[in-house]
Amino acid sequence: MSLFQIDSLPKGWILKLLFLGILIPSPAIADVSIGVLSLRGDAKVTEAWQPMLEHLNQTLPEHQFELVPLGFDEVHLATRQRKVDFIIANSSFFVKLEKLYGASAVATFYTRNADAVAINKFGGVIFSNVDSDDIRLLSDLKGKRIAAVDPSSFGGWQTGLRELHHHGLTASSFRELTFLQTHDAVVNAVQQGDADVGFIRTGTLEQMALENTIQLSDFFVLAERNVVGFPYRLSTALYPEWPLAKLPHVADTLAMEVAIALFNMPESTLVFHSAYGAGWTLSQNYQPVHELLRELKLEPYTYLNNLTLIDTLQRYWQYLLITLLVLIASAVVLLYVVHMNRRLQSQQGTLSQLNNQLEQRVEERTNRIESLLEHEQYLRRIVQTVADVNQIIITSSHRIEMLKSACDRLVSHPEYRFAWVAGFKTGVIEAERLVSSYGSTEQLVALTQHQLSLKHVKNVIQDNTLRILTASDLGNLNADTLELTSAALLPLRSDAFSTAMGVLCVYTHRPSGFDDDEISMLEQLAGDLGFAMHAFIRRDESERAEASRISNYEETILAMVDLIEKRDTYTAGHTRRVACYAELIARKMGLDEQEVQQLVKASTLHDIGKIIIPDAVLLKPGSLTPLEYELIKQHVSVGYETLSAIEMYKDLAELMRHHHERLDGSGYPQGLKDGDIPLPARIMAVADSFDAMTSNRIYKPRKTVEEALAELQRLANIHYDLAVVEAAVETLQSIDVDSQPHAEQLPDSDLERQRFAYFFNDQLTGLYNAEYLRFMLQREMHKHFHSLQMLLLHEFAAFNVKHGWHAGNQLLQAFASWLQTHCPGAMIFRVMGDDFVIINAPDGWLQTNDPVTDSPLAATGVQVEQQRFNCDAAGLEAIQDYLR
């Protein structure tokens, strides 16, 4: 991307260069170079990043991208000389390039683990050979041989160096420190005993184990950390992953095009980095990397190692000035204190005179304070009681349970004798006891059932306001033994503007009754109880509404299933059988009850989309055309769209959506493979295929259970999940398919017989057509034949030519009616246009009825040839040859 400067050349040379440029074509060179830090050698760098390069060349064909592997010592040189336009390097390299050359991050790299979680951070791993029992802590590294990648390797040295500094260790603490340039070399050095401890970046051990070059169990990780969601072994803090950085000479528009292309790159392109995919995301915050390099005083912060006094003054003069000002202020304060001490000494005599007066006043106030303290302690107990009741409100799961616990907690206060909650009687404006605290029967009767007590409660409900009862008000309740002095009746409501839902009644025997602060706290408590009561009531109403909504949805769906049953009893029986088989297989495989029930529901609804399939296709008694098969396949998508629109059926819709997917990707509608197909859908697929094979179809006889299971085993790991097939073989081998509902596709009702006739009736004459005759022969229904004869009409074409096609059709209709009248109980077929086949005709019927002179064919010129066929193999072969 660099420009060739020609401004300073003489004009003659410019013309020569232009002439040479015209005659000699310049070689095709890459106009965008991407430098990549070589962690594990140039070969592995090329293997890892070449798919990304190919993606960029395909996505941005107007540019030619080139990959440039760079060693640790080549990154700065390539940047300074503009040999590369973009750089993919570790995070510390990026910080250096950012500080020194003005590089800027365009995107941050990420990988995915087995749980499909994106990982855009990495750290360092400090490890030893698992057999090195003397190396288990970071402090054990003193005097050991250390192998690292490079002094500028972020994951392979600098992250671990920071941890060593935190433990008081430096590079001088080791017996030997060797930098081997690649992470693989560090791992191999520790494994072979050439080094005691290695420093590498996270993921290296796991990647090498995946490549079968090492065993993870051969290594011990020091200071190991467990970070939620991070799948690799780790010894250090986590830092943002490698960025893709653009250098200052690269145009922002090109950087934006490259970033967009990388964001849209399929994750499968970079599977070298992770078996589960890798890609690029928005640039992350690299401030933690700055902090690490600044703490270790590494480039670009190496200047911190050489700060002089002048440098310190220039850098920190603000802080020094503030310190000086603080010292001056402290001196001023000290002088002021000295001055005040002198004044205090002069006034000490005056104070001694006042002391005597203060002693008297203190004694008076002490008595007052003791009284106030006693009152404060009382209020503290009230506050604690209120706090406990609020805790009950928070933790209770039922309205009555909450009110009962609250009353019991109030009565546990020493000054309170009884508490209860009143509410409305059902249907009338009268008070009744909802709950009460523990107490004697005398208390319960006197305070919750006495008419006067109920009248007070009713007045509070009607007035919707607090009422305080005095000792005289309570004297008429026949509760003298309780020694009550006051009662607080507090309305319970959802907010200050709502009507009362009930009344909280609290009774005290404190001589002075309730004070104002206490009443305020009880009012606040009543407000909390009222709000909680309202919440419980609304929750109950919501649960009832939700239950009603679920019931309505289920009734609607079941009505749709019922509609399908009325349309086609075979399809209805098929869904019930598939649900039964799927449940048996799921229980055999150990699925929990909730998953089993969800699978049964999904199986029951799995063909609900067939409601949109025309009868002419759904009930067709023969093989489907490619177009008809594509139409049949639409029932999966239609069923999914129908059910997914209902919130409670979204999970079921997702299961039934995949019941025609196959492990090898040959299924539909999405062509999913292997583990992409949910397990319940794989179970449903086996149950669906098993039923299809063991049910009689119009165009195909059913298989036995043994044949069907053998077919499933043959297709295991191709179309079907092997574990599911094995469970099906164990579970279904003893199933009695004849006991299952509607295992036959032949018509089962008058309506279905009419639909059946649609396919097998001749539209002109109303007789059976040739297709039905072929069907009977295929189904071996000839076992019920005792006679088979054919009437061949000759000269019928001449009749059509002479009288027209309409007259010919009328003649065929009349002749067909004549045959039906004179052959009662026989099956009559119109074949080949103007020929008729009669099965099981009455004996001797042609001896008494001439098909020409006694029929509508008389005087038409049409002649009839009679042929008879034996109902043996030769005769059936002859009639089949004729039908062909």
Side-chain angles (χ1 to χ4, degrees), residues 606-777:
H606 79 281
D607 276 343
I608 195 170
K610 286 186 178 179
I611 196 170
I612 59 98
I613 306 301
D615 285 357
V617 177
L618 182 64
L619 306 178
K620 182 178 179 180
S623 300
L624 300 174
T625 66
L627 180 59
E628 290 169 339
Y629 181 61
E630 288 299 319
L631 186 58
I632 283 286
K633 287 163 61 175
Q634 293 300 313
H635 81 278
V636 176
S637 299
V638 171
Y640 170 76
E641 293 169 1
T642 300
L643 295 180
S644 62
I646 304 173
E647 183 65 29
M648 63 176 293
Y649 285 113
K650 282 186 177 180
D651 292 340
L652 300 184
E654 194 63 32
L655 295 184
M656 59 83 59
R657 183 186 192 184
H658 303 304
H659 74 276
H660 278 296
E661 300 288 0
R662 298 294 180 255
L663 293 190
D664 60 0
S666 63
Y668 61 88
Q670 294 178 296
L672 301 182
K673 293 184 179 181
D674 300 327
D676 294 334
I677 307 173
L679 176 59
R682 284 179 265 159
I683 295 175
M684 199 187 311
V686 171
D688 187 39
S689 298
F690 175 79
D691 181 68
M693 287 188 277
T694 56
S695 300
N696 268 327
R697 300 297 180 95
I698 292 175
Y699 56 88
K700 182 176 65 176
R702 73 185 184 188
K703 297 178 184 289
T704 65
V705 172
E706 293 75 14
E707 291 171 338
L709 293 177
E711 180 72 6
L712 291 175
Q713 289 175 310
R714 185 180 70 81
L715 294 174
N717 278 336
I718 302 174
H719 286 179
Y720 309 112
D721 186 291
L722 177 60
V724 177
V725 171
E726 291 175 347
V729 170
E730 294 185 33
T731 305
L732 302 180
Q733 61 183 347
S734 59
I735 199 77
D736 182 7
V737 296
D738 292 327
S739 66
Q740 299 296 318
H742 300 289
E744 182 73 43
Q745 200 176 11
L746 293 176
D748 192 45
S749 65
D750 291 339
L751 177 61
E752 291 184 6
R753 278 188 282 273
Q754 289 300 319
R755 291 175 176 168
F756 201 67
Y758 170 81
F759 299 100
F760 290 147
N761 279 13
D762 178 56
Q763 300 299 313
L764 177 64
T765 64
L767 302 178
Y768 294 117
N769 57 24
E771 185 67 27
Y772 191 30
L773 181 58
R774 293 189 189 94
F775 168 73
M776 295 180 70
L777 295 175

Side-chain angles (χ1 to χ4, degrees), residues 209-223:
L210 190 62
E211 296 168 358
N212 294 321
T213 58
I214 64 168
Q215 296 288 333
L216 286 176
S217 58
D218 292 341
F219 301 99
F220 177 81
V221 175
L222 282 72

Side-chain angles (χ1 to χ4, degrees), residues 789 791 818 842-851 866 868:
Q789 51 192 275
L791 302 181
W818 183 84
D843 294 336
W845 76 280
L846 287 177
Q847 297 176 1
T848 58
N849 301 282
D850 187 278
Q866 302 179 28
R868 292 180 179 272

